[in-house]
């Protein structure tokens, strides 16, 4: 059991902000947290848009949603690590925490455990917890040392207390991130994908620890993409999309909500969206088989890690010349890492990458581009201080000068707006036009395989339609594509084949017209998702 006792905080300087072991009877039934019309804008981007939530004392609430929905921003706002543009966040019915710095929010009893552990690596496990205890609420009923001992025991780190944090494996680092948050004696614990990167057995282990934390009376607010974890821990689920709340209910109700499935999978009603495999059917077998030696690109048994975090595990994938292959999966499944492995931006831990039967596993990105593998990365990454044409010319770096007019003409044929705005600075383009410029710059390298990572992320529906129409035109020229995309229906309509990744492994694969959206939706949203 996690100790949660506390006494008045001597550091706050205000009795109005002072938590106590026994709540004032006047606020005994007050919610743990109330978010009222919370909005957060970053320049012209609205990350959280008028979200209102009431989180009851002792509740376990999950916040889910697709990429860019505003989930982690909500947690940072609650924890005081960011300030809302508008709205209020009230703790225990009395304290406006949205006006306080993060250290005061922590002393009031709100703690955040992050997806990527950031311990003090040169301190021991115990010293890390002592630092957390010092930063959190004051305890008068037990000493700081006794409190830390309780937390070490509860998080199964007691035997590793003398070890340096930098020597821990991933599971123990995750435990330590949780333990450091618990050392602050929180009333409200915020968990941001704390199980990301763990194996199925390790996830179950961490879920068990978090469940014990909740049973001790601590209120939980978790951001999580794994539906099995949401189902195991959360009593209520709130769904965000484009910063707005679109649904709420039990995990089962939310998973069955048509609006939620539409957000994750896309909709057939989008302009130009055909049936799954529509392009492949129209081509009537023009795509060569990808068995034997006919694959343009072949990945065999590929695994990849970020430090201790294993992101891809035993991936086998083929792409034929002229083929469009969709790579689908929830946030954090490993899709972008796979794109980086293909282009050489990410080294593999094991396995083989072959290009036309040539081994290129160890070749870096700048060696793969001349072969014809070109990566259009998530986030556009254009040179905002350069003109549209200057951005495009950089994409053809190293090509003979006489080639540039022809390549520019080909790009302008696909994206006429880039010809119209050739002398305009990249920073002055709309989001959709900047994405066109990013794709156009990739095309200037004359790819045989174009790797596209979330090229419609953050775009309006109209802009996304224009991008998909352009991708159709590019595919018609015979350029092969690996399409990493969150819109399942649009991706399947464009693709010949698809792979669905779950927890770094391939969960489903096959021809686009054979993979049903209900089947894919189960991987995204089912509580019995593959482990």
């Amino acid at each position: 059991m996690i100790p949660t006792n506390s006494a008045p905080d001597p550091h706050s300087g205000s009795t109005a902000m002072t938590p106590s072991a026994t709540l004032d009877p006047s606020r005994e039934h007050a919610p743990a947290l109330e978010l009222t019309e919370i909005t957060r804008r970053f320049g012209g981007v609205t990350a959280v848009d008028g979200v209102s939530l009431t989180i009851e004392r002792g509740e376990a609430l999950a916040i889910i949603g697709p990429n860019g929905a505003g989930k982690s921003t909500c947690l940072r706002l609650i924890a005081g690590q960011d300030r809302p543009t508008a709205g209020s966040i009230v703790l225990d019915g009395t304290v406006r925490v949205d006006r306080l710095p993060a250290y005061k929010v922590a002393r009031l009893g709100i703690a955040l455990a992050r997806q990527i552990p950031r311990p003090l690596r040169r301190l021991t496990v115990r010293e890390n917890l002592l630092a957390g205890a010092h930063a959190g609420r004051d305890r008068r009923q037990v000493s700081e040392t006794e409190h830390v001992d309780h937390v070490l025991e509860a998080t199964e780190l007691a035997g590793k207390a003398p070890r340096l944090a930098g020597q821990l494996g991933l599971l123990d680092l995750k435990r330590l991130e949780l333990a450091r948050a618990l050392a602050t004696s929180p009333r409200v614990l915020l968990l941001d994908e704390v199980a990301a990167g763990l194996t199925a057995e390790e996830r179950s282990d961490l879920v068990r620890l978090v469940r014990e934390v909740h049973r001790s009376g601590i209120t939980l607010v978790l951001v999580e993409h794994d539906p099995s974890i949401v189902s195991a821990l959360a009593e209520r689920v709130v769904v965000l999309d484009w910063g707005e709340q679109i649904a709420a209910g039990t995990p089962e109700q939310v998973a069955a909500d048509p609006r939620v499935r539409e957000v994750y999978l896309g909709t057939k009603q989008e302009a130009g969206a055909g049936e799954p495999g529509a392009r492949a059917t129209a081509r009537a077998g023009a795509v060569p088989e990808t068995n034997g030696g006919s694959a343009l690109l072949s990945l065999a048994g590929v695994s990849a890690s970020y430090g201790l975090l294993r992101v891809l595990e035993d991936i086998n994938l083929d792409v034929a010349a002229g083929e469009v292959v969709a790579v689908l999966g929830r946030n954090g499944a490993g899709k972008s890492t796979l794109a980086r492995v293909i282009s050489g931006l990410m080294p593999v831990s094991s396995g083989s990458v072959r290009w036309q039967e040539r081994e290129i596993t160890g070749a870096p990105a700048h060696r793969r581009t001349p072969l014809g593998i070109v990566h259009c990365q998530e986030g556009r990454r254009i040179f905002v201080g350069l003109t549209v044409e200057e951005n495009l010319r950089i994409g053809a770096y190293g090509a003979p000068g006489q080639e540039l007019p022809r390549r520019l003409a080909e790009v302008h044929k696909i994206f006429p707006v880039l010809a119209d705005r050739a002398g305009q600075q990249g920073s002055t383009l709309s989001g959709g036009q900047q994405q066109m410029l990013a794709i156009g710059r990739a095309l200037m390298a004359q790819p045989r395989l174009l790797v596209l990572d979330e090229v419609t992320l953050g775009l309006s529906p109209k802009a996304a339609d224009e991008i998909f129409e352009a991708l159709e035109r590019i595919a018609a020229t015979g350029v092969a594509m690996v399409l990493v995309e969150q819109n399942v229906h649009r991706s399947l309509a464009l693709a010949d084949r698809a792979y669905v990744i779950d927890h770094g492994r391939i969960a489903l694969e096959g021809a686009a017209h054979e993979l049903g959206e209900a089947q894919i939706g189960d991987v995204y949203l089912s509580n019995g998702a593959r482990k």
Side-chain angles (χ1 to χ4, degrees):
M1 190 69 73
I2 305 296
T4 59
N5 48 16
S6 65
D9 184 349
H11 305 289
S12 69
S14 170
T15 56
M17 300 193 314
T18 300
S20 61
T22 304
L23 285 173
D24 187 320
S26 65
R27 52 187 178 133
E28 183 177 352
H29 301 294
L33 283 171
E34 290 178 280
L35 281 65
T36 304
E37 292 294 320
I38 287 294
T39 297
R40 180 63 171 106
R41 298 187 186 93
F42 298 93
V45 177
T46 302
V48 178
D49 193 0
V51 170
S52 294
L53 287 175
T54 298
I55 304 167
E56 300 298 338
R57 198 181 309 281
E59 185 179 11
L61 173 77
I63 302 175
I64 69 170
N67 248 358
K71 309 176 296 296
S72 294
T73 300
C74 274
L75 292 194
R76 290 196 300 272
L77 293 172
I78 295 170
Q81 296 184 359
D82 196 2
R83 292 284 183 93
T85 307
S88 64
I89 304 172
V90 177
L91 174 68
D92 289 338
T94 58
V95 185
R96 284 280 302 268
V97 297
D98 57 279
R99 297 175 173 178
L100 302 176
Y103 77 92
K104 285 192 175 182
V105 175
R107 287 174 179 169
L108 283 167
I110 298 176
L112 172 63
R114 294 162 294 197
Q115 174 183 356
I116 300 175
R118 296 173 186 169
L120 301 167
R121 301 181 68 84
R122 296 187 180 183
L123 298 185
T124 67
V125 170
R126 177 183 292 280
E127 288 167 341
N128 268 270
L129 265 63
L130 285 169
H134 182 70
R137 294 192 293 161
D138 188 33
R139 289 150 301 281
R140 297 293 177 83
Q141 297 182 23
V142 297
S143 70
E144 199 168 77
T145 299
E146 288 176 297
H147 172 69
V148 165
D149 285 340
H150 287 316
V151 175
L152 285 168
E153 196 67 40
T155 54
E156 301 176 4
L157 288 171
K160 297 175 182 177
R163 292 184 62 179
L164 293 177
Q167 297 174 343
L168 298 180
L170 181 59
L171 177 59
D172 285 332
L173 281 172
K174 296 279 190 177
R175 286 193 181 116
L176 178 56
E177 182 70 12
L178 177 62
R180 288 206 310 163
L182 293 173
T184 67
S185 296
R187 291 198 198 110
V188 179
L189 179 61
L190 312 174
L191 304 174
D192 193 0
E193 295 190 63
V194 292
L198 298 178
T199 66
E201 184 178 350
E202 290 169 341
R203 289 194 299 274
S204 296
D205 189 43
L206 199 63
V207 165
R208 175 178 52 79
L209 289 181
V210 174
R211 191 182 287 120
E212 287 300 315
V213 169
H214 183 231
R215 285 174 181 163
S216 73
I218 294 176
T219 303
L220 292 183
V221 183
L222 60 143
V223 163
E224 184 53 63
H225 296 300
D226 187 331
S228 63
I229 294 177
V230 171
S231 180
L233 294 176
E235 301 150 347
R236 184 163 62 103
V237 179
V238 168
V239 186
L240 300 183
D241 184 40
W242 291 86
E244 297 182 356
Q245 180 178 329
I246 64 164
T250 66
E252 294 73 22
Q253 289 169 337
V254 164
D257 190 317
R259 294 170 299 174
V260 177
R261 298 181 79 86
E262 181 178 302
V263 161
Y264 276 91
L265 304 180
T267 171
K268 294 181 181 180
Q269 279 67 53
E270 290 156 321
E275 291 301 316
R279 174 177 173 272
T281 301
R283 296 176 70 201
V287 176
E289 296 295 324
T290 57
N291 49 24
S294 60
L296 185 67
L297 175 79
S298 181
L299 275 63
V302 165
S303 299
S305 304
Y306 294 101
L308 297 172
L309 183 64
R310 179 57 63 92
V311 182
L312 296 177
E313 188 75 49
D314 195 27
I315 297 291
N316 297 295
L317 176 146
D318 294 301
V319 184
E323 185 180 30
V324 178
V325 171
V327 177
L328 309 171
R330 294 192 308 265
N331 292 356
K335 307 184 300 298
S336 291
T337 300
L338 177 59
R340 291 171 62 82
V341 163
I342 292 172
S343 66
L345 290 174
M346 175 82 179
V348 304
S349 305
S350 60
S352 170
V353 181
R354 299 181 70 82
W355 177 255
Q356 294 185 298
E357 300 198 20
R358 172 185 171 185
E359 185 72 35
I360 62 167
T361 306
H366 70 278
R367 297 294 185 196
R368 297 188 191 191
T369 301
L371 298 177
I373 303 173
V374 181
H375 188 173
C376 185
Q377 298 184 64
E378 180 182 350
R380 302 162 198 164
R381 306 192 187 199
I382 64 169
F383 297 97
V384 294
L386 300 184
T387 67
V388 168
E389 183 165 328
E390 287 168 342
N391 268 275
L392 292 176
R393 286 176 176 270
I394 285 176
Y397 179 79
Q402 63 270 25
E403 270 283 294
L404 293 179
R406 181 185 64 80
R407 294 190 187 187
L408 282 169
E410 289 176 353
V411 171
H412 291 159
K413 185 176 180 181
I414 294 170
F415 298 113
V417 69
L418 299 183
D420 297 338
R421 299 177 182 265
Q424 190 171 323
Q425 275 200 334
S427 60
T428 64
L429 300 179
S430 69
Q433 291 166 350
Q434 288 187 19
Q435 188 61 72
M436 292 176 188
L437 178 55
I439 298 172
R441 185 180 60 190
L443 292 175
M444 289 291 290
Q446 297 282 277
R448 296 187 62 193
L449 173 65
L450 183 59
V451 183
L452 299 156
D453 190 2
E454 300 284 12
V455 292
T456 65
L457 182 63
L459 299 184
S460 68
K462 182 178 183 299
D465 289 340
E466 292 172 348
I467 293 298
F468 267 102
E469 289 166 6
L471 297 184
E472 287 274 8
R473 294 193 292 270
I474 295 168
T477 68
V479 175
M481 296 185 199
V482 172
L483 179 64
V484 172
E485 174 59 45
Q486 61 182 342
N487 189 313
V488 171
H489 190 82
R490 293 297 297 260
S491 299
L492 292 179
L494 178 63
D496 300 294
R497 291 186 303 114
Y499 294 83
V500 183
I501 299 181
D502 189 33
H503 293 301
R505 293 179 176 270
I506 293 175
L508 295 170
E509 63 178 290
H513 69 276
E514 293 175 349
L515 290 177
E517 289 186 13
Q519 190 181 15
I520 296 172
D522 284 343
V523 178
Y524 276 65
L525 293 167
S526 171
N527 297 331
R530 292 163 178 79
K531 298 181 181 179

